[in-house]
Amino acid sequence: CGPARVVQLISDLCVHLAGERPPFLDAEQAGFHLARVLADRRALIVIDNVWSAADLAPFLLGGPNTVRLVTSRNARVCPSDSLLCRLGPMSASEIRDLLGRAVPALRRQDTLKLAVQCNGWPLLASVVGSALGQDVAAGAEPGQAASDASRVLDTAGPQAFDVWDSDQRKNAIGHAITASLRSV
């Protein structure tokens, strides 16, 4: 994500934890400030979608009572003493359950077909479920909405559910997070 984005993320975190935005432009200095803010506080920080060890490093400074949950497709970005939990794709039944929670009125065969089409990708399933939920809330019949989503996945693939508008993307991500939290 780059040093400037790391500084912004740490600054945002400091605002939420301490009520002030640090004036740093350097990621490492921002990380040291975050360490001071964390001090001995017990906290969980989720650092999502990390692609580089350099981007992660400032979040790992200090905070001896802080647990960091790092998600990444590359385990090498994490320190060697990290506890790793490798997750594979979701099973079709897990995705079927996720879709069923997003739109309870969906028939089992509809959720099963969509689950197979989502191919183990939980974020895709969440976005598809969110789209189905919006369609049903707007008055579409659940079976027809599922059929339409299935046809779109068949013809255009997962990118058909990619959201280019930033407001819609935030909405889709919000729906995906909400759906995942509901499943806990």
Side-chain angles (χ1 to χ4, degrees), residues 35-81:
R36 284 190 298 279
V37 168
L38 290 170
D40 289 328
R41 183 185 300 206
R42 294 182 63 194
L44 168 66
I45 298 176
V46 178
I47 309 152
D48 188 33
N49 200 21
V50 177
W51 287 87
S52 137
D55 292 343
L56 178 61
F59 290 95
L60 301 178
L61 300 171
N65 295 322
T66 298
V67 174
R68 281 88 169 174
L69 174 64
V70 178
T71 67
S72 178
R73 294 181 186 182
N74 179 0
R76 291 184 300 249
V77 303
C78 295
S80 61
D81 62 345

Side-chain angles (χ1 to χ4, degrees), residues 13-15 17-20 22 32-41:
L13 189 54
C14 288
V15 167
L17 292 172
E20 63 181 359
F32 283 125
H33 181 77
L34 176 61
R36 284 190 298 279
V37 168
L38 290 170
D40 289 328
R41 183 185 300 206

Side-chain angles (χ1 to χ4, degrees), residues 16-164:
H16 291 288
L17 292 172
E20 63 181 359
R21 185 171 298 281
F24 301 108
L25 298 176
D26 176 76
E28 186 176 41
Q29 290 304 311
F32 283 125
H33 181 77
L34 176 61
R36 284 190 298 279
V37 168
L38 290 170
D40 289 328
R41 183 185 300 206
R42 294 182 63 194
L44 168 66
I45 298 176
V46 178
I47 309 152
D48 188 33
N49 200 21
V50 177
W51 287 87
S52 137
D55 292 343
L56 178 61
F59 290 95
L60 301 178
L61 300 171
N65 295 322
T66 298
V67 174
R68 281 88 169 174
L69 174 64
V70 178
T71 67
S72 178
R73 294 181 186 182
N74 179 0
R76 291 184 300 249
V77 303
C78 295
S80 61
D81 62 345
S82 297
L83 176 63
L84 296 179
C85 179
R86 296 183 190 274
L87 301 175
M90 289 177 77
S91 70
S93 66
E94 290 170 324
I95 290 181
R96 191 178 62 240
D97 290 346
L98 181 73
L99 292 169
R101 279 192 295 279
V103 184
L106 284 175
R107 296 176 307 212
R108 181 174 169 78
Q109 64 265 28
D110 291 333
T111 58
L112 182 58
K113 182 173 183 179
L114 288 168
V116 169
Q117 290 176 296
C118 288
N119 197 28
W121 292 91
L123 185 56
L124 175 59
S126 295
V127 171
V128 168
S130 174
L132 288 172
Q134 290 174 355
D135 289 349
V136 170
E141 290 295 323
Q144 186 60 50
S147 178
D148 293 345
S150 178
R151 188 179 67 260
V152 167
L153 281 168
D154 277 343
T155 58
Q159 64 271 18
F161 289 90
D162 192 10
V163 181
W164 293 98

